[in-house]
Amino acid sequence: MKGDRNKIHKELISLWEEQNTKDLRVEQLIQLYTNAFDALINRSLPTLSSITVKVVLDRVLHEGSAEYPFFSQITLEPRGLSLKALIQKNTTIKIDELKEGLSYLLVEVLTVIGSITSDVLTDSLHKAIMQINRENALNVKEVQNLREVNDPKISLAKKRGER
C-alpha cells in the first residue's frame, strides 16, 4: 500500500519539478521547495496539530539524513522547515543531489501525512503543491539577500554603491 502511495506522490512531484525547476539557481530552487513545504504545512495544519506536523517533518528528515547528509542543515522552526542554511552552504551540495533530496523529502512528507490521515488530505495536499510555481521563487527578496552573502563580488559592489 505504501508503495502505491509513494508512486502517486513521486509522479506528482516529478511533474511539478518538470514544470518548475529547470534553469533555477540554487537559491531559487531552495526557495521553490521552501514554498512547497510551506504550502503542505499550511494545508495540513487545519486538520493536524502543529505537533503532529512537526513530528512528521522531524521523522522524515531523520530517516532521510543517512542518504542525504545535508538534511542536517535543515532546521525545524515554529512555522515549519527552514532551508536557509542550504543556501548559505550551497557550495558543498550539487544541484542534482539537492533536487533529489528535496524531492525525496516532499514525497515522504506526503506519504506519511497520507498514511496518518487515511489519505483524507492527499488530494488537497497535491493541489497545494501544484499551485506553487517557479515565479514564486524568482523574485523573493530574502533569496536575493542570501545570494549576496554567498557571492563576495555582489556584496563588495553593493557596499561600494555600484549596484
Side-chain angles (χ1 to χ4, degrees), residues 35-96:
N35 294 352
F37 286 112
D38 288 349
L40 286 181
I41 292 165
N42 291 335
R43 179 55 196 97
S44 298
L45 286 175
T47 306
L48 303 173
S49 73
S50 61
I51 293 171
T52 302
V53 172
K54 286 180 184 175
V55 167
V56 168
L57 295 171
D58 188 50
R59 173 187 167 194
V60 172
L61 280 171
H62 178 73
E63 287 182 358
S65 63
E67 190 170 346
Y68 304 102
F70 66 87
F71 281 6
S72 65
Q73 297 172 21
I74 299 172
T75 57
L76 277 171
E77 294 185 352
R79 67 173 254 303
L81 291 178
S82 174
L83 307 178
K84 290 178 190 175
L86 296 177
I87 295 172
Q88 294 166 339
K89 300 176 183 182
N90 73 41
T91 55
T92 61
I93 305 170
K94 295 177 183 156
I95 199 156
D96 290 338

Side-chain angles (χ1 to χ4, degrees), residues 84-158:
K84 290 178 190 175
L86 296 177
I87 295 172
Q88 294 166 339
K89 300 176 183 182
N90 73 41
T91 55
T92 61
I93 305 170
K94 295 177 183 156
I95 199 156
D96 290 338
E97 181 184 2
L98 181 65
K99 284 169 85 171
E100 181 182 313
L102 294 176
S103 177
Y104 163 86
L105 201 55
L106 279 173
V107 169
E108 289 302 308
V109 168
L110 286 166
T111 301
V112 173
I113 290 175
S115 180
I116 63 176
T117 64
S118 299
D119 287 320
V120 169
L121 291 179
T122 298
D123 286 342
S124 60
L125 292 176
H126 285 180
K127 287 176 187 173
I129 289 279
M130 295 306 284
Q131 290 175 348
I132 302 301
N133 59 52
R134 65 184 285 118
E135 285 72 32
N136 303 43
L138 294 177
N139 296 314
V140 175
K141 186 76 168 158
E142 184 177 345
V143 172
Q144 294 166 354
N145 291 340
L146 286 169
R147 173 82 174 156
E148 291 169 1
V149 168
N150 288 331
D151 191 334
K153 292 177 191 173
I154 294 174
S155 293
L156 184 59
K158 188 174 183 179

